[in-house]
Amino acid sequence: MSVQPLLQASDPCVMLQASPPKNVTVTANGTNIGISENPVSVPWLYAGTIVFTLSGTDTFQDPGITFTTPDSPFIVSLTDEKHCVVTAVNDNPALTILNFPNGFQYTLNLLSGNKLMGFDPTVENDSPPPPPIED
């Protein structure tokens, strides 16, 4: 199972070197989801693969993973029901981890349903819950 990194750079002088693969383990049993790297972070000039391996009773459904950050530097390939390979090319300074310090938000597409993973940027701005109603 291998995916060649997509080598494109906005600056022709920047030559991206293939980066070692990153392995992410997803444990999914019904509504219990555990992820070894959540959210996914891609350092500046990372050109390689991120392999999501699903353990547990659930299975990936096409396309396996959907990144919700606009213009995320990823190409997703579902290799089988337990492996989703993501080719990452980060040749754009606007998409560096410096500008996305909380990583990239994504949805796991599983047989049991879609699960949104990653940082929720709205939490810090949410209003506090209303006080309890007393009788």
Side-chain angles (χ1 to χ4, degrees), residues 76-107:
V76 179
S77 173
L78 183 63
T79 57
D80 61 44
E81 64 184 20
K82 294 290 187 177
H83 298 93
C84 186
V85 177
V86 176
T87 303
V89 176
N90 201 359
D91 60 356
N92 181 343
L95 295 177
T96 66
I97 198 61
L98 298 175
N99 293 326
F100 290 93
N102 298 305
F104 295 90
Q105 193 171 46
Y106 56 94
T107 301

Side-chain angles (χ1 to χ4, degrees), residues 20-111:
K22 296 172 78 168
N23 295 307
V24 178
T25 301
V26 179
T27 305
N29 293 305
T31 58
N32 297 323
I33 305 289
I35 299 191
S36 63
E37 184 174 341
N38 181 38
V40 167
S41 298
V42 178
W44 169 236
L45 292 183
Y46 182 85
T49 58
I50 304 167
V51 180
F52 287 81
T53 301
L54 181 60
S55 67
T57 57
D58 219 330
T59 57
F60 281 121
Q61 300 302 299
D62 195 27
I65 297 200
T66 305
F67 285 89
T68 58
T69 305
D71 301 320
S72 297
F74 300 106
I75 298 171
V76 179
S77 173
L78 183 63
T79 57
D80 61 44
E81 64 184 20
K82 294 290 187 177
H83 298 93
C84 186
V85 177
V86 176
T87 303
V89 176
N90 201 359
D91 60 356
N92 181 343
L95 295 177
T96 66
I97 198 61
L98 298 175
N99 293 326
F100 290 93
N102 298 305
F104 295 90
Q105 193 171 46
Y106 56 94
T107 301
L108 294 172
N109 305 307
L110 303 175
L111 181 62

